[in-house]
Amino acid sequence: MEHLLQVEHVVRKFGGLTAVDDVSLYLNEHELVALIGPNGAGKTTLFNLLTGMVPATSGVIDLRTNKQKYDLTHKNAMQIADLGLSRTFQNIRLFKNLSVMENVLTAMTSKYKEGFMTAVLRLPSFYRTEQEMKSEAHQLLEIFNLSAEEQTLAKNLPYGIQRRLEIVRALATHPQILFLDEPAAGMNPEETADLTDLIKYIQEQFKITVLLIEHDMSLVMNLAQRIYVLDQGKVLASGEPAQIKANPQVIKAYLGEGAD
């Protein structure tokens, strides 16, 4: 069986430090997978490798889609985004002084490309594209209950709503794979419960693959079909949630003796 994303023996070194050490993993279409582990385990560095933020020192990252194979190992973030990989960040990265609508429209520019002369001369196709973008943005904001906030500046939104907007902006790029880096960080229990429902909805309704970094184990165990555990840059274990909860190495390294 060919996997949507195949990562083989990936290493990332920063000087004398090996942050990601011989990591191999895979993602299938329409799958929700979690990546867990203690702080400093290399989880975000691995995300950065998969999304082109930093290059791998060695190893191979392959995307197989539309009956084609793409080597992502040496592509940059923009090239990888164009192939359908999108992400959020541990620290929310919105355009704080732009409105909710403007944040979503900005994300769409990679999918709605107009020629230079078309844009400069404001040809009819420019206005058609602009209207298509606004229409799609309106639909996304309505789906995620953000319509009332369309003209609100991102910096004026409550934290939980900012996180939701960041996810909507990532979806506006039409991703095949959505990488979520600690989306529940800083959220209260009610916000986390809402986020759990939101991620489940996204994965089911948009038919995309989700890779999730998260420390909230209730969220992970409720959502993930498979889990990879990273420790000191290496894959310590992988499997279904029940297998991970019962794994003695994982309990010792991360979950703790009292894990339930």
Side-chain angles (χ1 to χ4, degrees):
M1 175 183 177
E2 289 196 341
H3 305 298
L4 177 61
L5 188 72
Q6 183 79 52
V7 179
E8 296 181 345
H9 307 295
V10 165
V11 174
R12 173 63 196 191
K13 295 185 177 185
F14 296 96
L17 172 68
T18 302
V20 173
D21 191 357
D22 195 31
V23 167
S24 296
L25 58 81
Y26 67 88
L27 301 175
N28 292 320
E29 285 188 339
H30 309 157
E31 189 176 33
L32 202 156
V33 178
L35 181 64
I36 67 172
N39 288 328
K43 302 182 300 296
T44 294
T45 300
L46 180 57
F47 258 36
N48 290 340
L49 293 172
L50 299 180
T51 55
M53 304 294 291
V54 296
T57 304
S58 61
V60 177
I61 304 168
D62 282 335
L63 177 70
R64 294 176 174 88
T65 180
N66 299 323
K67 299 182 179 179
Q68 295 189 59
K69 178 179 174 181
Y70 300 91
D71 183 356
L72 306 185
T73 315
H74 304 293
K75 293 188 182 299
N76 61 38
M78 185 171 293
Q79 291 169 324
I80 289 176
D82 284 344
L83 288 171
L85 281 68
S86 187
R87 70 171 294 178
T88 65
F89 293 85
Q90 187 174 344
N91 299 313
I92 296 174
R93 296 189 186 182
L94 295 171
F95 296 108
K96 300 289 188 179
N97 291 311
L98 295 184
S99 70
V100 167
M101 172 62 79
E102 289 167 336
N103 266 275
V104 177
L105 290 174
T106 300
M108 289 180 172
T109 55
S110 64
K111 294 299 177 184
Y112 289 90
K113 295 179 179 177
E114 288 291 332
F116 176 76
M117 292 306 297
T118 299
V120 169
L121 298 176
R122 293 295 195 268
L123 298 177
S125 61
F126 172 85
Y127 292 103
R128 285 196 299 270
T129 298
E130 184 179 47
Q131 190 55 47
E132 287 175 16
M133 289 172 63
K134 287 183 177 179
S135 177
E136 183 179 345
H138 281 301
Q139 290 175 4
L140 277 172
L141 293 175
E142 185 173 349
I143 289 171
F144 292 99
N145 297 317
L146 287 170
S147 295
E149 310 290 350
E150 278 188 10
Q151 301 308 316
T152 303
L153 296 182
K155 66 181 179 182
N156 294 331
L157 296 171
Y159 181 85
I161 304 300
Q162 286 191 29
R163 181 66 77 183
R164 194 192 313 171
L165 173 58
E166 189 182 35
I167 294 173
V168 171
R169 191 177 64 176
L171 288 172
T173 66
H174 302 173
Q176 297 184 77
I177 305 175
L178 177 62
F179 297 86
L180 300 175
D181 191 352
E182 294 194 33
M187 289 189 172
N188 61 41
E190 182 179 351
E191 290 172 330
T192 299
D194 289 341
L195 177 68
T196 302
D197 292 338
L198 178 63
I199 295 172
K200 189 178 297 184
Y201 174 83
I202 288 168
Q203 198 255 342
E204 291 174 351
Q205 295 299 314
F206 286 79
K207 307 299 182 188
I208 61 176
T209 298
V210 176
L211 181 61
L212 166 76
I213 292 176
E214 188 50 67
H215 284 292
D216 189 311
M217 285 300 100
S218 63
L219 186 152
V220 169
M221 296 300 172
N222 282 330
L223 285 176
Q225 295 162 277
R226 291 189 301 113
I227 299 172
Y228 287 96
V229 184
L230 216 61
D231 185 37
Q232 298 182 31
K234 295 178 176 287
V235 174
L236 178 66
S238 64
E240 296 178 358
Q243 294 172 311
I244 296 301
K245 287 173 70 174
N247 187 306
Q249 289 181 294
V250 177
I251 293 172
K252 182 178 179 181
Y254 182 56
L255 295 181
E257 297 295 339
D260 54 15

